[in-house]
Amino acid sequence: MAKRTRVTRQKAAKIADVARLAGVSVATVSRTLARPEVVIEETRTRVLAAVRDTGYTPNISARNLRVRKTMVVLVAVPDIANPFFAEVLQGIDDTLSAAGYGLIIANLAGSPEKEARYVDLVCAGQADGVLLLCGHVMRSPDRDLRDAHVPLVAACEYIPSEDFPQVTIDNVGTAREAVRHLVELGHTSIAYLSGPTPNILEQQRLEGYRQALREAGIAADASLILPGDFTFHTGVEAGRALLTLEPAARPTALFAANDEMAIGLIKTVRAAGLQIPDDLSVIGFDGIAYADYCEPTLTTIVQPRRDLGATAAAELITLMTNGRAGPRKDIKLPATLMLRDSTRPPRKSRGRSSRGARSG
């Protein structure tokens, strides 16, 4: 019987062999392979030379970390309960899915603890990029998203002084257009229902309101600026506040910084017997689906919600594919004033013609 030849195989190199040859720790080898940009050049050169000399082959998961191919994107949303974000997320998901990416929705809901956990998740290499719909760069107590060295793109809420792409609308200009519409209808007593003061959207929409009043020669009245926070609840509270005023002191029109507050206000004042728009014209902002189903239907600024999401996702895919940051882009998409049934000339000037050919 023929003698079987014994085949000896060279033992596969381990990460410890690379570390020993390069004179570094196993953790440094792992970090060099996963995130070479954070390792100093001298160490990186030694480690990569040791990898070549030993013939070490990282496993699939290590290779995926190194080239940032989790094929997952994290999307940070300030409040998933806000219906505005539904179509934005749909545009994001459609675009990412077509490119083979999945998404993780980070519903921050004003919680620093949740935000910190999502920052840690991204810094641990669990996402290839981040879409920020929350108006700020997320952070934990000891680091922020920049430490993850992944591409970032912001959408919906502009983040000042950042150098990554941002996809928004002209909030000042469109708010000015909304209030100008009320002025053209003949309203001179126009209230404003605000969002939360620190929010950039609130600041921009308030500025648009003030600009429109100045252009019309109408003095701003601080008592007509009502506090809100973008929720139905504060719309209800603002409606109750209006009802406490004597009829002669009430404004004839109101511009709300978003549709949820406008709808909450309309429901409240109508339940008390006020007629919309006969006693009070109301304009909202965002163009959420409810605006076309409330009674009366709501005149509003319609944002291109799906396009905002799709455009931001496409920008992020480009950055993730190129593997480097490109020139800063501030992309502004058009928004539209949609005239519905909640606006009309005030009673005293009902005969005056309006701009309001009904849209939609």
Side-chain angles (χ1 to χ4, degrees):
M1 183 172 167
K3 198 171 187 179
R4 181 174 295 176
T5 304
R6 186 174 181 181
V7 177
T8 58
R9 303 187 193 284
Q10 185 176 359
K11 190 176 179 181
K14 297 181 179 179
I15 193 170
D17 300 324
V18 176
R20 191 162 40 251
L21 184 58
V24 298
S25 68
V26 167
T28 298
V29 175
S30 179
R31 185 162 52 251
T32 302
L33 297 176
R35 298 173 59 189
E37 73 277 5
V38 303
V39 179
I40 63 173
E41 184 176 359
E42 179 188 355
T43 301
R44 185 169 66 241
T45 300
R46 289 207 320 272
V47 170
L48 295 179
V51 168
R52 287 194 301 272
D53 292 343
T54 59
Y56 172 69
T57 302
N59 62 30
I60 294 298
S61 61
R63 283 203 301 271
N64 283 347
L65 282 172
R66 186 174 72 252
V67 298
R68 298 269 181 214
K69 287 298 179 184
T70 65
M71 299 306 291
V72 170
V73 166
L74 185 133
V75 184
V77 183
D79 181 9
I80 197 67
N82 187 327
F84 169 78
F85 292 108
E87 281 195 61
V88 178
L89 289 169
Q90 193 166 12
I92 290 171
D93 186 48
D94 288 347
T95 304
L96 291 177
S97 294
Y101 287 88
L103 61 85
I104 298 171
I105 297 176
N107 180 32
L108 303 184
S111 167
E113 293 78 18
K114 289 178 70 174
E115 182 168 321
R117 286 199 299 272
Y118 284 118
V119 170
D120 290 343
L121 182 147
V122 178
C123 287
Q126 298 303 302
D128 294 346
V130 179
L131 286 169
L132 296 166
L133 312 186
C134 54
H136 66 279
V137 176
M138 297 158 59
R139 64 173 302 107
S140 69
D142 58 350
R143 59 184 173 181
D144 66 31
L145 275 180
R146 298 177 191 85
D147 295 315
H149 300 282
V150 299
L152 306 177
V153 173
C156 303
E157 293 190 31
Y158 183 79
I159 307 176
S161 305
E162 296 296 341
D163 59 2
F164 44 75
Q166 307 208 41
V167 184
T168 59
I169 66 163
D170 179 3
N171 282 281
V172 175
T174 48
R176 185 172 65 244
E177 181 183 5
V179 178
R180 187 184 295 145
H181 170 63
L182 294 172
V183 170
E184 290 176 356
L185 289 175
H187 295 279
T188 56
S189 179
I190 303 171
Y192 174 69
L193 177 50
S194 76
T197 303
N199 185 277
I200 187 67
L201 299 180
E202 155 57 22
Q203 296 164 16
Q204 292 171 334
R205 292 170 193 178
L206 176 60
E207 177 58 25
Y209 165 80
R210 287 172 168 160
Q211 286 185 14
L213 294 185
R214 283 198 300 269
E215 291 168 0
I218 299 172
D221 184 347
S223 69
L224 293 182
I225 297 180
L226 307 174
D229 65 2
F230 291 149
T231 65
F232 287 115
H233 175 73
T234 50
V236 170
E237 291 299 313
R240 290 172 179 164
L242 285 182
L243 292 170
T244 65
L245 301 176
E246 292 296 323
R250 289 176 189 150
T252 61
L254 178 141
F255 169 51
N258 83 339
D259 288 343
E260 286 192 47
M261 295 190 298
I263 293 168
L265 180 138
I266 287 174
K267 182 178 185 297
T268 302
V269 300
R270 288 185 77 242
L274 265 64
Q275 298 298 309
I276 306 294
D278 293 323
D279 297 316
L280 181 71
S281 285
V282 179
I283 293 183
F285 202 112
D286 285 341
I288 64 175
Y290 298 156
D292 204 23
Y293 294 96
C294 65
E295 181 61 37
T297 56
L298 180 65
T299 294
T300 185
I301 296 291
V302 178
Q303 294 202 59
R305 298 180 299 282
R306 190 172 301 201
D307 287 346
L308 282 166
T311 303
E315 286 296 313
L316 186 64
I317 289 168
T318 298
L319 292 180
M320 292 187 298
T321 302
N322 291 344
R324 63 183 183 278
R328 179 196 171 103
K329 289 183 181 178
D330 284 336
I331 301 170
K332 288 254 191 319
L333 299 184
T336 306
L337 175 62
M338 182 67 71
L339 304 180
R340 296 194 179 102
D341 297 332
S342 65
T343 51
R344 186 176 295 175
R347 289 184 186 277
K348 62 183 179 181
S349 57
R350 183 56 47 76
R352 181 173 166 176
S353 63
S354 76
R355 192 181 74 174
R358 182 179 162 86
S359 298

